[in-house]
Amino acid sequence: MYVSVPEPGRYESTVYHGSGQKTAQVIQQSFARHARRVVSGRGPEFFQQALATARERNVDYLVYPSIIHWEERATEWSGIPDRVEVKIEVVDVDSERTLQSGIIEGESAVMTFGGRPEELLPEPIGKFVSAAY
């Protein structure tokens, strides 16, 4: 499997640099529990670029995530929760057919200290990946 790195998350005018890499890492770790070999990209790629990279790496499946929503808040002061929403597509590299697709969502508790949106990803991504096996 090849996990591409999505563009960084954004909320209004704020760009969350590194969020794409963190998202790909969580996805890679989840798939590594089931697949023999899982590699990930180094930087963001558009779909056709990611597909070409997957072919170069001689893998069967491309996991193509897209960050739809990434909102990091000072929840402990504002009472506004962190939110994250990621679309994940699993694509057969040879046929370019989407085998599985879903939207992963997470929202922090209102009363939390610290925390980051990427900490909301492991559980729902783990469920998404487990459903594929």
Side-chain angles (χ1 to χ4, degrees), residues 107-119:
E107 182 173 302
S108 68
V110 175
M111 294 307 294
T112 183
F113 293 98
R116 306 251 181 227
E118 64 267 18
E119 294 170 2

Side-chain angles (χ1 to χ4, degrees), residues 16-27:
Y16 295 99
H17 299 285
S19 59
Q21 204 56 270
K22 292 171 187 171
T23 299
Q25 182 180 24
V26 171
I27 293 169

Side-chain angles (χ1 to χ4, degrees), residues 63-80:
V63 181
Y64 189 75
S66 304
I67 297 174
I68 298 170
H69 187 88
W70 192 280
E71 185 176 350
E72 186 172 346
R73 298 296 192 132
T75 304
E76 57 274 15
W77 296 294
S78 68
I80 301 171

Side-chain angles (χ1 to χ4, degrees), residues 48-88:
Q48 290 301 323
Q49 293 170 310
L51 200 55
T53 302
R55 287 187 175 118
E56 288 170 13
R57 293 191 177 199
N58 198 31
V59 299
D60 297 320
Y61 304 102
L62 164 64
V63 181
Y64 189 75
S66 304
I67 297 174
I68 298 170
H69 187 88
W70 192 280
E71 185 176 350
E72 186 172 346
R73 298 296 192 132
T75 304
E76 57 274 15
W77 296 294
S78 68
I80 301 171
D82 293 338
R83 291 187 182 151
V84 64
E85 190 173 357
V86 176
K87 179 179 180 184
I88 301 174

